[in-house]
């Protein structure tokens, strides 16, 4: 905004604050970006430490050895005693939650969303320690979760903590929380673009340069930490998939829509189980241990359902798993994960949704090939779109799911099937459930989550379009507070709120003693309501019937003219 746009005040108010329209990007964005990059470096090391701690607890729990080497629990030789390991882990998680903070319960993203929306992005600093500790215990003792949920929650808590000790606004603290959370995701998976999209779709609730710049830099730094501390190869390696034909695309769209229905069922079942636990006549501290019984029993019959299970996703993407294992990952993994998550233990949702979705995609692909053997659909592609479509439908994160699947596999021929299948799943999910797996919990607490981003009406309507105009500009005494005809309504609202007034004179910018009109709060409210109504009104901009009638008349005139000649 130009210097002339500032609001002058009377001499008695010289020391008062001038109200000006805020710049889109300022030097504060630069300093904030530096801070979130530093935070992302720390979060990268935290992600590495969390993975190492999960590996350590897994080795101690299932193999009785002190080692940080990656070794999943599926190869354990404990026999029936394997059932006790997750139960012990559930007891420990319950004790940590009871004695430390109940906020560590759950999978992290809904809790971060709630703090953004209701608590000015303030998360208790203790969560930075307790969340990864409880998650490592839960996953390391066989919990069917991924490390991404806890590190997202931990990164968000660390960003919030850094924001609470700094002199910043709640909006800037929200950016720091989001940058920390998404940097954690990028550090685990090496998917910076998907992490930025996750911020937009689930955490920021806005899209503006002042928020995207710091978040994007944090995600890029998190991905760089992944390359430094983990690996530079794609997280999920899969065979090269062929370019789809138009017949294949029709099948992939159908599979995506079917998975959207299943995703809604998966989301509802988790909260149905949670409701059942709420009815238990014992303290919630014991619920994770009770839910862990299902984990242990399932793990006894199907050891591959235990633990993080990233290797299961890679095996699914190969397209070579036998049907028995595919169905086991589809149904038994779902039972183990849904009961455990519904019990309120500490864990994530992304890896289980990817596993269940990938298995469902392959199972549906096998079904199609058995009924229509002439079909040329590709089973690895079915697994890829299955895992992404499940996440798109359950979490309502369309763009995140598409880009995440691509960045994790680096399969360019998968983009078109991903776009079609994920959009179909996303579309169907809105007819099947009101909330998503990420928002249902906080909706039940009365917290509204925005489901769309629209331009601010008050920022694109000018005062001139709303004000009550004077018949002729009339001179007036010196105006202490005023606006110009070209000023935005958002600025007028700021002035009214700042000075506790309901009416503002509108003056000529070249001659501030000439009053062109008046503006009051009721006019602004009417303009806002009318704009919303106009945007939602059904109308036909072009009438085919009227246009056709005009063409007929013009044709007749042309024929008459030619007949005369």
């Amino acid at each position: 905004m130009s210097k002339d746009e500032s609001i002058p005040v009377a001499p008695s108010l010289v020391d008062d604050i001038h109200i000006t329209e805020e710049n889109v990007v300022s030097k504060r964005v630069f300093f904030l970006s530096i801070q979130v990059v530093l935070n992302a470096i720390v979060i990268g090391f935290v992600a590495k430490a969390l993975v190492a701690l999960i590996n350590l607890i897994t080795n101690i729990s299932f193999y009785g050895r002190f080692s940080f080497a990656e070794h999943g629990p599926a190869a354990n030789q404990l026999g029936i005693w394997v059932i006790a390991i997750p139960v012990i882990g559930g007891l420990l998680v319950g004790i940590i939650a009871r004695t430390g903070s109940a906020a560590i319960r759950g999978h992290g993203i809904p809790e971060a969303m709630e703090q953004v929306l209701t608590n000015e992005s303030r998360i208790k600093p203790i969560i930075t320690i307790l969340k990864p500790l409880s998650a490592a215990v839960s996953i390391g003792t066989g919990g069917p979760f991924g490390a991404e949920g806890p590190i997202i929650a931990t990164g968000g808590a660390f960003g919030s903590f850094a924001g609470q000790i700094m002199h910043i606004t709640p909006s800037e603290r929200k950016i720091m929380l989001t940058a920390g959370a998404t940097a954690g995701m990028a550090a685990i998976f090496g998917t910076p673009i998907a992490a930025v999209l996750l911020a937009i779709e689930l955490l920021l609730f806005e899209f503006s340069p002042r928020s995207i710049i710091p978040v994007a830099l944090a995600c890029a730094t998190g991905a760089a930490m992944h390359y430094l501390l983990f690996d530079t190869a794609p997280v999920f390696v899969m065979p090269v998939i062929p370019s789809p034909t138009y017949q294949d695309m029709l099948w992939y769209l159908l599979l995506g829509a079917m998975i959207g229905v299943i995703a809604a069922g998966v989301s509802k079942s988790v909260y149905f189980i949670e409701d059942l636990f709420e009815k238990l006549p014992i303290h919630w501290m014991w619920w994770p241990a009770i839910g862990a019984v299902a984990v242990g029993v399932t793990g006894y019959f199907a050891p591959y359902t235990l633990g993080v299970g990233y290797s299961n996703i890679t095996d699914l993407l190969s397209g070579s798993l036998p049907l028995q294992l595919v169905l086991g990952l589809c149904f038994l993994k779902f039972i183990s994960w849904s009961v455990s998550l519904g019990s309120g233990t500490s864990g994530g949702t992304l890896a289980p949704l990817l596993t269940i979705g990938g298995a469902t995609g392959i199972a549906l692909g096998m079904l199609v090939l058995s009924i229509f053997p002439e079909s040329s659909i590709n089973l690895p592609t079915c697994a890829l779109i299955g895992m992404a479509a499940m996440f798109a439908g359950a979490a309502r994160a369309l763009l995140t799911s598409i880009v995440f699947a691509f960045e994790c596999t680096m399969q360019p021929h998968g983009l078109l099937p991903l776009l079609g299948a994920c959009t179909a799943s996303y579309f169907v999910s809105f007819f099947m459930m009101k909330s998503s797996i990420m928002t249902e919990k906080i909706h039940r607490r009365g917290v509204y989550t925005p489901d769309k981003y629209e331009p601010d009406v008050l920022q694109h309507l000018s005062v001139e379009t709303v004000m009550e105009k004077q018949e002729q500009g009339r001179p007036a005494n010196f105006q202490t507070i005023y606006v110009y005809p070209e000023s935005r309504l958002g600025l007028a609202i700021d002035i009214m709120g700042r000075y506790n007034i309901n009416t503002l004179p509108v003056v000529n910018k070249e001659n501030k003693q000439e009053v062109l009109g008046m503006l009051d709060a009721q006019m602004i409210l009417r303009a806002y309501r009318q704009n919303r109504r106009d945007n939602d009104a059904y109308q036909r901009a072009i009438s085919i019937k009227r246009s056709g009638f005009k063409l007929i008349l013009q044709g007749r005139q042309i024929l008459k003219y030619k007949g005369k000649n």
Side-chain angles (χ1 to χ4, degrees):
M1 179 178 178
S2 63
K3 185 176 179 181
D4 196 29
E5 280 282 313
S6 62
I7 306 304
V9 295
S12 61
L13 301 175
V14 168
D15 295 329
D16 205 351
I17 300 174
H18 287 210
I19 298 178
T20 58
E21 292 183 282
E22 182 182 2
N23 291 328
V24 176
V25 176
S26 65
K27 63 181 180 180
R28 291 189 65 85
V29 175
F30 172 74
F31 293 122
L32 197 65
S33 298
I34 294 176
Q35 183 61 53
V36 298
V37 166
L38 296 176
N39 290 353
I41 294 173
V42 175
I43 292 166
F45 286 109
V46 172
K48 181 66 175 179
L50 175 61
V51 172
L53 185 58
I54 291 173
N55 291 337
L56 174 63
I57 296 176
T58 300
N59 281 305
I60 292 174
S61 301
F62 291 95
Y63 304 104
R65 58 172 178 257
F66 190 95
S67 172
F68 292 99
E70 184 178 351
H71 197 183
N76 74 85
Q77 302 296 322
L78 296 177
I80 194 70
W81 293 105
V82 75
I83 298 175
I85 302 300
V87 175
I88 294 172
L91 285 171
L92 293 175
V93 170
I95 292 171
I96 294 171
R98 178 70 185 273
T99 59
S101 173
I104 66 169
R105 302 171 68 220
H107 50 96
I109 294 180
E111 290 75 16
M113 294 170 71
E114 184 175 19
Q115 297 306 310
V116 167
L117 293 168
T118 65
N119 197 31
E120 295 185 341
S121 303
R122 295 191 182 101
I123 298 177
K124 295 179 181 178
I126 192 66
I127 302 299
T128 309
I129 299 172
L130 294 183
K131 186 63 179 181
L133 176 61
S134 62
V137 170
S138 176
I139 299 170
T141 55
F145 308 106
E148 70 289 333
I151 193 58
I152 287 173
T154 303
F158 182 78
S160 173
F161 169 68
Q164 290 177 65
I165 62 177
M166 297 169 60
H167 187 67
I168 60 177
T169 66
S171 178
E172 291 169 332
R173 191 182 306 115
K174 176 185 71 173
I175 295 171
M176 291 191 66
L177 183 155
T178 303
T182 51
M185 176 181 174
I188 288 290
F189 289 116
T191 54
I193 302 175
V196 173
L197 294 173
L198 180 78
I200 296 171
E201 293 187 299
L202 294 181
L203 290 171
L204 277 176
F205 305 112
E206 67 168 284
F207 184 83
S208 65
R210 68 170 186 173
S211 59
I212 290 301
I213 290 172
V215 169
L217 290 173
C219 292
T221 306
M225 296 301 293
H226 173 85
Y227 300 146
L228 174 66
L229 300 174
F230 294 97
D231 198 355
T232 57
V235 175
F236 303 130
V237 179
M238 66 180 296
V240 176
I241 59 178
S243 179
T245 64
Y246 75 91
Q247 297 101 326
D248 296 339
M249 281 301 305
L250 293 177
W251 282 116
Y252 295 147
L253 280 171
L254 179 60
L255 292 181
M258 295 174 66
I259 290 174
V261 175
I262 297 171
V266 167
S267 301
K268 290 181 178 180
S269 64
V270 168
Y271 288 101
F272 173 75
I273 294 171
E274 187 174 295
D275 291 338
L276 293 180
F277 274 99
E278 292 282 351
K279 296 177 181 179
L280 291 178
I282 57 176
H283 195 276
W284 56 257
M285 182 183 79
W286 307 106
W287 297 353
I290 297 173
V293 174
V295 177
V297 173
T298 306
Y300 173 70
F301 292 102
Y304 52 84
T305 62
L306 294 170
V308 173
Y310 290 150
S311 60
N312 291 332
I313 298 174
T314 302
D315 292 339
L316 286 168
L317 291 171
S318 70
S320 59
L321 282 182
L323 180 60
Q324 182 180 357
L325 286 179
V326 170
L327 294 178
L329 289 172
C330 187
F331 293 104
L332 297 181
K333 182 77 171 183
F334 165 70
I335 293 171
S336 174
W337 165 71
S338 59
V339 174
S340 184
L341 187 64
S343 70
T345 193
S346 181
T349 59
L350 181 53
L353 285 175
L354 297 180
T355 303
I356 297 167
T360 304
I362 281 213
L364 293 175
M366 290 178 172
L367 180 63
V368 169
L369 288 174
S370 65
I371 299 175
F372 303 98
E374 70 280 2
S375 173
S376 61
I377 62 171
N378 179 261
L379 287 182
T381 304
C382 291
L384 181 66
I385 66 172
M387 71 181 202
M390 182 67 74
F391 183 60
R396 298 264 174 86
L398 173 61
L399 299 178
T400 303
S401 62
I402 296 169
V403 176
F404 176 81
F406 170 70
E407 287 188 297
C408 281
T409 60
M410 299 306 292
Q411 294 290 328
H413 289 158
L415 279 173
L416 187 56
L418 283 169
L419 179 62
C422 290
T423 303
S425 175
Y426 181 76
F427 178 71
V428 168
S429 72
F430 282 95
F431 295 94
M432 304 297 298
M433 57 183 180
K434 294 181 180 179
S435 304
S436 72
I437 197 170
M438 300 297 180
T439 60
E440 176 66 22
K441 179 180 292 187
I442 57 178
H443 277 187
R444 293 182 175 193
R445 298 172 184 167
V447 179
Y448 169 75
T449 54
D451 58 1
K452 56 186 176 181
Y453 306 125
E454 297 178 334
D456 188 348
V457 174
L458 300 181
Q459 294 303 324
H460 75 257
L461 287 179
S462 66
V463 169
E464 187 175 20
T465 61
V466 177
M467 70 180 188
E468 181 180 315
K469 298 180 180 179
Q470 302 288 344
E471 292 184 2
Q472 289 183 344
R474 59 182 178 83
N477 296 328
F478 177 75
Q479 299 296 318
T480 303
I481 304 171
Y482 52 81
V483 289
Y484 303 125
E486 60 269 26
S487 299
R488 304 291 98 183
L489 290 182
L491 178 62
I493 287 289
D494 286 342
I495 296 171
M496 289 178 179
R498 175 69 179 85
Y499 293 102
N500 195 27
I501 56 178
N502 291 320
T503 305
L504 279 173
V506 184
V507 303
N508 188 334
K509 191 171 184 179
E510 304 301 328
N511 178 14
K512 298 180 178 59
Q513 300 305 307
E514 182 184 0
V515 178
L516 302 177
M518 298 298 293
L519 178 72
D520 62 35
Q522 287 299 320
M523 296 176 188
I524 297 176
L525 289 175
R526 282 197 300 270
Y528 179 83
R529 183 171 178 271
Q530 185 62 43
N531 183 274
R532 296 298 298 268
R533 185 191 303 173
D534 291 345
N535 286 335
D536 294 334
Y538 295 100
Q539 54 181 302
R540 181 180 285 111
I542 299 177
S543 174
I544 302 297
K545 185 176 181 180
R546 185 180 301 171
S547 299
F549 184 67
K550 288 182 178 179
L551 287 174
I552 293 172
L553 291 179
Q554 290 175 357
R556 287 180 177 177
Q557 291 176 355
I558 292 172
L559 290 175
K560 287 181 180 180
Y561 177 76
K562 288 185 176 180
K564 291 179 179 179
N565 293 335

